[in-house]
Amino acid sequence: MNGQGFCYARGDPVLQAQKVSKIYALGKEKVKALDEVDFLSTQGDFVVINGPSGSGKTTLLNLLALIDRPSQGEVLFEGKPTSKLSERDLAFLRRQRIGLVFQTFNLIPVLTAAENVEYPLLLLNLSRQEREQRVRSLLEEVGLDGLGRRRPDELSGGQRQRVAIARALVTQPRVVLADEPTANLDSTTGKQIMGLLQNLNGEHCVTFVVVTHDPAVPPYAQRVLDIRDGKIQGERYVADRPA
Amino acid sequence: MWRIALRNLRRNRRRTLLALAIVSLGCSLSLVVLGFVERSKALIQQTTVQQYGNIQIADRALFEGDSEGLGYLIGPEDQELLTRWVAQFPEVRGSTVQLGFSSLLTFRRRTATVRGLGVVPENPVLDYNGLVVGGRGLRSSDLGAVLVGQVLAEELGLRPGDFVNLTATTAAGALNVLPAEVVGIYRFSSAEVERSQVFVPLSLAQTLLNTRGVDRVVLGLRSLRQTWGTARKLDRGLPAQGFTLEARTWDVLSPFYRQLASFFDLLFGFLIAAVFVLVFFIVLQVLTLSFLERTREVGTLRALGTLGQEVFRLFLLEGAGLGLVGGLVGLLLGVAFSLAFNAAAIPWRPPGTVQAVTLGVDFTPLVFGVPLLVSLLSTVVSALLPAGQMARLSVVEALRTV
Ligand SMILES: Nc1ncnc2c1ncn2[C@@H]1O[C@H](COP(=O)(O)OP(=O)(O)OP(=O)(O)O)[C@@H](O)[C@H]1O
Ligand SMILES: [Mg+2]
């Protein structure tokens, strides 16, 4: 259950892409990073998008995260098209409903772990009491009890990614998008992080979309999409997820 | 937000310290110079008001010095009316009348051209007795008495008790001579005044010119700050009272004060402009570098839902923080330097004056406010451009930068 004991019905559409293409102009040349991609993730989903370097994973994730706009096609959030929304509206959607985890953690270096987790709540104008309570319980949940006062450079890579995950979840978003969350971690730590995401997905009814080229990641998903040269190649369901 | 801004200032210490040093140096320099200007102006104000009173009311012809004869005199009834009218103003502490005249002063066959000023002896507004250094001041009971300046006394060998002859043209145009006893010697900040200005009882001046008139009414105000407001009110009221007279303030009456004040203002204006430009360019460099370094951080903040304008504000805040901290440090530095300067009590004799004044720095709200404001403003203005660039970055591009 999420913090307020409130869960959307499993199966409701959360993020959807309809025939989205993204074309980059590199000088005179045009690079088609995404080619008419269709995608659907529903409430409580745990999707991994798997593909080699340059296949368009980050491009797709940025579109789904509403920080970029497609050249063609439409991205729908909670069933509603987003192409007509202003930058401001998209920013408000992001701060309220979407959590992001980056390959390079992207913590704010001058803030402590707890302050990093607290930052999105400042954007939501929550009371200090509410903020402190949420930050404490999330740090505990990601296994960083007692490390809240450390600054990012005083934490290991795995710990930093845990802070980033706490930051992504603290606003109780509908979906968390992660771009290669294990790429900068050793394989053991990477597995721990994926295990954490899996648990969180089970406990909060948050949708997770993870893009990766790390072969250790797909087993944690419910569903795996393969992407290659900007196209979704196939979809499979994972039978044996690690405990 | 301010937490991020202020902590970022501590991030690259060397760069922040450089910016802070520049800001605080500029701020302290402005403080010292402004404090010095304020003290110097206050000193000159004091002597100017000692000489002219706060406000004088007279015929325009007297002020401009372009009249033939004594057409500008104010008769006894008008004096009476005017005195009663100005007494109604709450700002007016009191008023007195004066009569100026040109005269020859003769002592044992030696003659000097002087400007005589007939004053009401021992009046509470302006009687010049405070300037007397030898002998005594003018008294109400005096008839034939004169105060001469130290410079004139030395040139003619005058001492208290000596008798001189004063020669002047009467209002009707005849020549008139009266004897007067030198009762006192005065000193003033200006040698020129000491050489050429003598003070006599009003009655003597009127007898000499054979008139019952005076040429001006001098007002003393309760506070120097009320000078200009009161003068405006007087100027508006005078025609309504049937007078063709004008009110002029001490700063306008003294060309010396006006020149010096505008010179000081110009000097300070240049300094402020130079400090502003210097701080602007150096802080611009520092901030541009330190902002660019955080491109990916900006991408992260934006991706988390921070608006471009919030990023803009964050960076402006950083500029303001730099200005505030640098400014406050600068104020402390400036005060420390000023106190040392004041303690040194350096004497200085302005050209054309006889008494040395003590140079120093005054601390008025202005002396703190202007430098702090300039520090803040220059750093915030420096931050505007780079902050705007950071706020307009594309989120995806910012995230892609390493
Ligand atoms: N801003 C851009 N300008 C031009 N080309 C771009 C841009 N961003 C991505 N591309 C191109 O689009 C294609 C897909 O890039 P993308 O970053 O989505 O791949 P990826 O799967 O995330 O790769 P990686 O595993 O290296 O992160 C690549 O060929 C890349 O060179
Ligand atoms: Mg990528």
Side-chain angles (χ1 to χ4, degrees):
Chain A
M1 285 295 110
N2 73 12
Q4 289 167 340
F6 168 76
C7 189
Y8 299 86
R10 271 182 195 272
D12 277 359
V14 177
L15 266 177
Q16 196 173 353
Q18 292 176 337
K19 286 201 169 13
V20 295
S21 299
K22 182 77 185 181
I23 297 157
Y24 291 111
L26 266 181
K28 278 181 189 157
E29 231 179 300
K30 294 207 166 151
V31 181
K32 202 159 199 180
L34 286 180
D35 190 3
E36 304 209 331
V37 170
D38 285 312
F39 174 85
L40 173 67
S41 66
T42 54
Q43 189 61 44
D45 221 357
F46 196 131
V47 197
V48 164
I49 301 171
N50 188 35
S53 186
S55 56
K57 304 183 297 291
T58 298
T59 306
L60 177 58
L61 199 82
N62 287 344
L63 294 178
L64 295 175
L66 306 181
I67 57 180
D68 202 0
R69 293 176 190 270
S71 311
Q72 278 151 32
E74 178 75 74
V75 175
L76 296 93
F77 187 79
E78 295 176 336
K80 292 185 210 86
T82 58
S83 59
K84 299 255 159 54
L85 296 180
S86 66
E87 290 299 321
R88 193 186 170 81
D89 292 337
L90 293 177
F92 278 106
L93 262 184
R94 290 201 297 274
R95 62 168 77 162
Q96 288 160 354
R97 316 282 252 213
I98 298 176
L100 288 176
V101 176
F102 305 88
Q103 174 179 342
T104 47
F105 322 132
N106 289 16
L107 300 177
I108 306 303
V110 293
L111 298 181
T112 64
E115 287 164 348
N116 265 287
V117 178
E118 186 189 16
Y119 180 82
L121 301 178
L122 291 172
L123 294 177
L124 297 182
N125 294 320
L126 294 188
S127 74
R128 169 189 277 269
Q129 200 189 350
E130 172 82 14
R131 293 197 312 260
E132 279 175 0
Q133 190 247 312
R134 283 208 206 179
V135 170
R136 205 173 327 116
S137 82
L138 259 166
L139 280 176
E140 197 177 324
E141 212 169 337
V142 299
L144 289 179
D145 228 1
L147 299 183
R149 304 179 79 137
R150 294 227 192 146
R151 298 237 248 121
D153 56 8
E154 298 162 340
L155 295 170
S156 70
Q159 289 171 331
R160 287 185 215 180
Q161 200 58 302
R162 286 169 194 266
V163 175
I165 290 165
R167 176 176 69 182
L169 279 166
V170 77
T171 57
Q172 301 170 349
R174 296 221 49 192
V175 57
V176 171
L177 301 158
D179 190 354
E180 313 217 25
T182 61
N184 278 10
L185 302 172
D186 61 72
S187 64
T188 318
T189 315
K191 282 181 186 147
Q192 285 169 356
I193 290 294
M194 287 315 296
L196 174 65
L197 290 184
Q198 196 182 31
N199 284 339
L200 292 167
N201 171 247
E203 281 162 30
H204 304 251
C205 36
V206 185
T207 307
F208 278 80
V209 180
V210 179
V211 307
T212 188
H213 66 244
D214 179 354
V217 169
Y220 291 86
Q222 297 166 4
R223 204 154 54 95
V224 180
L225 302 175
D226 286 305
I227 187 168
R228 201 168 287 266
D229 298 331
K231 287 195 175 110
I232 301 282
Q233 300 288 349
E235 177 176 2
R236 59 198 152 92
Y237 289 82
V238 179
D240 297 315
R241 303 175 77 191
Chain B
M1 279 302 199
W2 54 266
R3 208 158 44 186
I4 299 185
L6 287 188
R7 289 205 197 147
N8 269 317
L9 285 177
R10 292 197 310 218
R11 192 140 142 198
N12 188 322
R13 285 194 189 199
R14 197 139 41 99
R15 217 159 41 198
T16 303
L17 279 180
L18 168 73
L20 283 180
I22 295 297
V23 175
S24 51
L25 223 73
C27 181
S28 58
L29 187 66
S30 315
L31 180 141
V32 173
V33 173
L34 185 57
F36 177 76
V37 164
E38 286 287 285
R39 159 71 62 90
S40 309
K41 273 200 201 168
L43 284 173
I44 309 164
Q45 266 176 25
Q46 210 181 323
T47 55
T48 308
V49 173
Q50 263 176 24
Q51 191 178 357
Y52 293 97
N54 287 115
I55 297 176
Q56 297 192 355
I57 299 175
D59 196 292
R60 176 183 201 102
L62 177 78
F63 289 136
E64 306 291 340
D66 61 0
S67 94
E68 292 281 312
L70 297 171
Y72 47 70
L73 289 185
I74 305 168
E77 294 92 46
D78 281 354
Q79 286 170 44
E80 184 67 36
L81 277 173
L82 207 52
T83 306
R84 244 185 285 136
W85 180 62
V86 297
Q88 292 166 4
F89 287 82
E91 302 91 338
V92 174
R93 179 166 53 85
S95 68
T96 184
V97 291
Q98 295 181 341
L99 174 59
F101 58 94
S102 299
S103 161
L104 296 176
L105 184 147
T106 316
F107 178 60
R108 293 187 189 146
R109 271 192 234 143
R110 298 175 72 179
T111 296
T113 314
V114 296
R115 282 180 288 117
L117 189 64
V119 301
V120 180
E122 297 177 306
N123 84 76
V125 176
L126 189 62
D127 70 358
Y128 306 101
N129 282 349
L131 305 176
V132 171
V133 292
R136 60 170 178 84
L138 296 175
R139 291 185 188 144
S140 319
S141 55
D142 282 336
L143 293 172
V146 60
L147 285 181
V148 300
Q150 170 111 341
V151 172
L152 183 70
E154 276 166 14
E155 281 180 5
L156 297 187
L158 289 170
R159 248 171 278 154
D162 287 339
F163 274 84
V164 296
N165 278 328
L166 292 170
T167 310
T169 315
T170 66
L175 222 53
N176 198 4
V177 185
L178 284 177
E181 181 191 349
V182 175
V183 295
I185 314 277
Y186 75 85
R187 299 219 66 177
F188 192 66
S189 60
S190 152
E192 172 52 27
V193 169
E194 279 189 17
R195 177 180 292 109
S196 62
Q197 179 83 59
V198 304
F199 300 103
V200 300
L202 181 64
S203 55
L204 176 64
Q206 289 179 328
T207 311
L208 197 58
L209 301 196
N210 193 20
T211 177
R212 290 177 60 206
V214 297
D215 63 7
R216 77 200 79 171
V217 175
V218 179
L219 306 188
L221 299 185
R222 294 189 197 286
S223 142
L224 199 63
R225 268 176 293 124
Q226 298 168 329
T227 304
W228 298 272
T230 311
R232 262 193 306 273
K233 278 202 267 178
L234 290 168
D235 257 338
R236 254 180 277 129
L238 280 167
Q241 296 293 316
F243 293 110
T244 54
L245 303 175
E246 279 182 20
R248 293 207 177 174
T249 53
W250 57 268
D251 54 325
V252 176
L253 290 166
S254 166
F256 175 67
Y257 176 80
R258 254 179 305 154
Q259 281 165 16
L260 216 64
S262 56
F263 169 72
F264 275 141
D265 288 344
L266 196 71
L267 191 78
F268 185 69
F270 267 122
L271 179 85
I272 287 288
V275 165
F276 189 94
V277 169
L278 192 76
V279 171
F280 171 81
F281 278 109
I282 292 184
V283 173
L284 180 68
Q285 288 290 323
V286 170
L287 289 184
T288 305
L289 271 179
S290 88
F291 289 0
L292 275 179
E293 226 169 49
R294 279 179 269 154
T295 301
R296 200 155 55 111
E297 227 174 290
V298 169
T300 307
L301 293 178
R302 296 289 308 278
L304 295 178
T306 311
L307 300 175
Q309 71 193 57
E310 287 167 331
V311 168
F312 181 69
R313 237 183 294 146
L314 178 75
F315 284 113
L316 273 200
L317 210 60
E318 203 169 313
L322 207 59
L324 192 68
V325 175
L328 290 176
V329 171
L331 291 189
L332 288 181
L333 276 178
V335 167
F337 183 78
S338 303
L339 289 178
F341 186 68
N342 285 352
I346 300 162
W348 179 59
R349 233 194 70 188
T353 62
V354 288
Q355 283 160 314
V357 293
T358 308
L359 291 184
V361 176
D362 266 358
F363 299 119
T364 61
L366 194 76
V367 170
F368 293 107
V370 170
L372 191 62
L373 201 73
V374 169
S375 306
L376 259 175
L377 217 64
S378 54
T379 52
V380 170
V381 171
S382 315
L384 276 176
L385 197 74
Q389 281 168 351
M390 297 311 283
R392 278 193 304 272
L393 283 177
S394 128
V395 183
V396 176
E397 291 304 319
L399 280 172
R400 272 165 59 93
T401 38
V402 195

